[in-house]
Amino acid sequence: MDDKIKIIVVDDHPVVRHGLIKTIEQDACFKVAAQSGDGAEVIPLIKMHKPDMAVLDISLPNMSGLDILSGAAKEKLRVDFIILTMYKDEEYFDAAIKLGVKGYLLKDTALSEIVNCLKAVKEGHYYICPQISHYLINRHDRIKSLIRRHPALERLTATEKKVLRLIAENKTSREIADEIFVSVRTVQNHRTHICRKLGLKGYNKLLEFAIENKSSF
C-alpha cells in the first residue's frame, strides 16, 4: 500500500514546475500525483486525485492562487495549501493566511525550501520562508493592538468574524449570504449583532470599521 504524501504542483512556468516536482520526488515521503499550469484546473484536480497538499503559484492564468484557496474553502476540500510567489507583498501574505494557507514561499528560494516546508506542513505546522517571517509578527501585533482598542471583538462568534472579513472586502449582504450558504436576512442579523457588540452606530459605520481594520482580522 502506497503511504506517500500526495502532492499536486501548479505553476505556469514549466521549468519551475518540473524543478519543483524533481526536488519533491527526491524525498521518499512524497509523491506528485498531478501537475498543471492553469489555475482553472486545480479544483477539478484536487477532487480527482484527493491530494494531501497542493503547491500553487499565487499568480496563475484563469484563476489565481487566492481564488483557488477561496474556492477550495467554499467546497470544504481537505487539502493543505502551500503558496509560491515572486512578490514580497504583505497584502498577498495577509490574504493567503486568512484563507488558511499552511506554507508560504518566495519563488527565488522555493527549490531549497520546498521539502522542509512540506515536512513541516505534514507534521501540522505552518512554514513561512525566513525572508518574510516578520510579516507574521506584524500581523500578530496588529491583531493584538486592534483587540486592545476593541476588546469586544473577542466576543464575536466565528461566523460573525467571517461576516466581518467579508464586509471588509466590500461584499454585499447578498454576496455574503451566497458565500456562507445562509439567507440574506441571516446576514443582516449578523451585521446587527456585530454592530451591537462593537458599539457601532450610524449608516455605513460597520463597513468603515471593517475596511479600516481589514488587515487585522
Side-chain angles (χ1 to χ4, degrees):
M1 183 177 177
D2 189 354
D3 59 354
K4 291 186 177 184
I5 301 296
K6 289 169 63 176
I7 316 286
I8 67 169
V9 177
V10 187
D11 193 295
D12 60 327
H13 296 94
V15 173
V16 174
R17 187 168 73 248
H18 294 148
L20 286 166
I21 292 169
K22 183 178 179 180
T23 301
I24 290 167
E25 291 198 322
Q26 283 175 348
D27 192 290
C29 293
F30 304 112
K31 172 186 177 180
V32 175
Q35 60 172 296
S36 178
D38 187 338
E41 295 179 354
V42 178
I43 298 294
L45 281 175
I46 292 172
K47 290 178 178 178
M48 180 185 300
H49 295 279
K50 296 180 171 55
D52 302 285
M53 303 181 204
V55 179
L56 308 177
D57 187 353
I58 204 168
S59 179
L60 290 165
N62 298 317
M63 193 173 186
S64 75
L66 294 179
D67 287 337
I68 292 164
L69 287 169
S70 181
K74 286 180 189 176
E75 299 203 34
K76 295 181 170 56
L77 299 180
R78 299 184 65 180
V79 56
D80 290 328
F81 287 98
I82 290 91
I83 285 289
L84 307 176
T85 181
M86 60 189 297
Y87 306 112
K88 296 180 181 179
D89 191 314
E90 194 163 359
E91 187 173 343
Y92 278 128
F93 174 81
D94 284 339
I97 292 294
K98 288 176 191 176
L99 288 168
V101 73
K102 293 296 181 69
Y104 201 92
L105 300 176
L106 293 177
K107 275 189 149 182
D108 56 5
T109 60
L111 285 179
S112 62
E113 292 188 79
I114 187 64
V115 171
N116 286 338
C117 176
L118 292 173
K119 286 183 175 179
V121 173
K122 171 178 172 284
E123 296 301 321
H125 305 301
Y126 289 83
Y127 187 100
I128 311 299
C129 66
Q131 297 95 321
I132 57 170
S133 59
H134 61 285
Y135 289 173
L136 204 56
I137 297 169
N138 293 348
R139 176 174 168 77
H140 180 68
D141 288 346
R142 285 197 305 271
I143 291 170
K144 283 178 63 176
S145 175
L146 181 62
I147 289 173
R148 279 197 300 269
R149 288 182 281 118
H150 300 279
L153 278 167
E154 295 194 296
R155 291 170 41 219
L156 298 184
T157 67
T159 302
E160 287 167 351
K161 289 175 183 177
K162 186 167 188 176
V163 169
L164 188 57
R165 285 193 291 269
L166 293 170
I167 291 170
E169 296 173 19
N170 207 12
K171 293 192 174 183
T172 65
S173 291
R174 167 57 64 189
E175 289 169 332
I176 295 170
D178 291 343
E179 183 148 340
I180 65 174
F181 306 107
V182 298
S183 69
V184 172
R185 179 179 290 277
T186 297
V187 173
Q188 291 169 340
N189 287 339
H190 283 313
R191 296 177 79 120
T192 299
H193 295 155
I194 295 167
C195 286
R196 186 178 299 134
K197 288 179 180 180
L198 298 182
L200 300 172
K201 297 178 181 178
Y203 185 71
N204 271 351
K205 287 297 182 183
L206 179 56
L207 177 61
E208 291 172 10
F209 175 86
I211 291 176
E212 181 182 346
N213 298 289
K214 69 178 180 177
S215 66
S216 303
F217 299 143

